[in-house]
Amino acid sequence: LLSHFQVKGPNVGLLGFSKGGDLCLSMASFLKGITATVLINACVANTIAPLYYKDMIIPDLGNELSKQKITESGLLNLVDIWKNPLEEHNHRSLIPLEKAQGPFLFIVGLDDHNWKSEFYAHIASERLQAHGKNKPQIIFYPETGHCIDPPYFPPSTASVHAILGEAVFYGGEPRAHSRAQEDAWQQIQIFFQKYLNGKKSVQHSKI
């Protein structure tokens, strides 16, 4: 990232959404020079596939597809299929985010039907504090679903899942979700400006 011509440096910030979120958590935990990390509806455990880093393997959290539900409109609701990372036999899938050097911002949609983002954000907060680290910043958005895109993107309440190949329900009430996208965008700018550029007050993005 530092060698990319569009990266100012010397600090690097990460922004991850969904599966990209736990990948960013892993990068922040194991790589040097990560100054700030933003997670949008992310899990605190490694998901989907095992993660390999040097001589270490973090297994995926695992799921129980038998617990998936189907909405009245025929969409899959996956929120209950993921195993609990706090159960002892799933602990190895937890990402050691307490090793990270920089702060975290968790963006959480309280109507996320892809996975339990609020639950995962609380796990992250408790884990960091248990290791003597500062609490992460967590922003909760009521009636907001999984896909919190930049502002003025149409709210994505459902789409064909890249892995399953089936239509999945993501949640979110359109008006509340749209407002959350607008606010989250500004909060992300403020967070990165503070921890990457050292600016306490920033001009709001005009997007």
Side-chain angles (χ1 to χ4, degrees):
L1 286 172
L2 284 171
S3 66
H4 195 283
F5 75 97
Q6 288 184 320
V7 176
K8 179 182 176 182
N11 302 320
V12 174
L14 301 176
L15 171 62
F17 158 67
S18 194
K19 170 60 186 175
D22 69 64
L23 289 176
C24 284
L25 275 178
S26 296
M27 291 175 68
S29 300
F30 298 117
L31 303 181
K32 295 180 179 180
I34 308 299
T35 309
T37 306
V38 177
L39 298 315
I40 301 176
N41 286 330
C43 186
V44 290
N46 180 54
T47 60
I48 310 299
L51 179 72
Y52 298 88
Y53 180 69
K54 295 185 177 180
D55 58 350
M56 178 181 59
I57 301 175
I58 300 181
D60 70 283
L61 178 60
N63 58 69
E64 299 175 69
L65 287 176
S66 60
K67 292 185 178 181
Q68 68 184 16
K69 301 174 184 177
I70 300 178
T71 67
E72 292 182 0
S73 54
L75 302 172
L76 289 181
N77 185 337
L78 303 177
V79 72
D80 292 324
I81 72 169
W82 306 103
K83 294 183 178 180
N84 186 345
L86 294 182
E87 293 180 357
E88 187 173 354
H89 54 280
N90 298 324
H91 279 182
R92 289 182 60 233
S93 69
L94 281 166
I95 299 165
L97 70 165
E98 66 277 1
K99 294 183 178 181
Q101 299 172 333
F104 293 102
L105 166 61
F106 284 81
I107 303 290
V108 177
L110 294 179
D111 193 37
D112 185 352
H113 284 263
N114 190 74
W115 49 33
K116 299 176 181 179
S117 299
E118 180 183 9
F119 175 52
Y120 300 146
H122 285 305
I123 292 176
S125 181
E126 291 172 4
R127 186 178 179 104
L128 287 169
Q129 292 178 84
H131 286 83
K133 297 295 186 76
N134 293 331
K135 290 178 62 176
Q137 181 181 355
I138 306 175
I139 303 177
F140 300 103
Y141 292 104
E143 299 180 285
T144 300
H146 185 63
C147 302
I148 303 178
D149 294 312
Y152 317 124
F153 275 60
S156 178
T157 57
S159 72
V160 175
H161 196 279
I163 295 176
L164 297 176
E166 298 185 57
V168 172
F169 177 60
Y170 293 128
E173 187 279 322
R175 182 184 294 271
H177 191 103
S178 296
R179 289 176 174 171
Q181 289 185 169
E182 188 172 1
D183 184 72
W185 181 260
Q186 301 298 339
Q187 297 294 339
I188 292 168
Q189 306 302 308
I190 292 169
F191 181 80
F192 278 142
Q193 289 285 5
K194 178 179 179 180
Y195 292 106
L196 297 181
N197 291 332
K199 296 182 179 179
K200 294 183 179 180
S201 60
V202 298
Q203 185 175 5
H204 282 276
S205 169
K206 294 181 180 179
I207 187 171

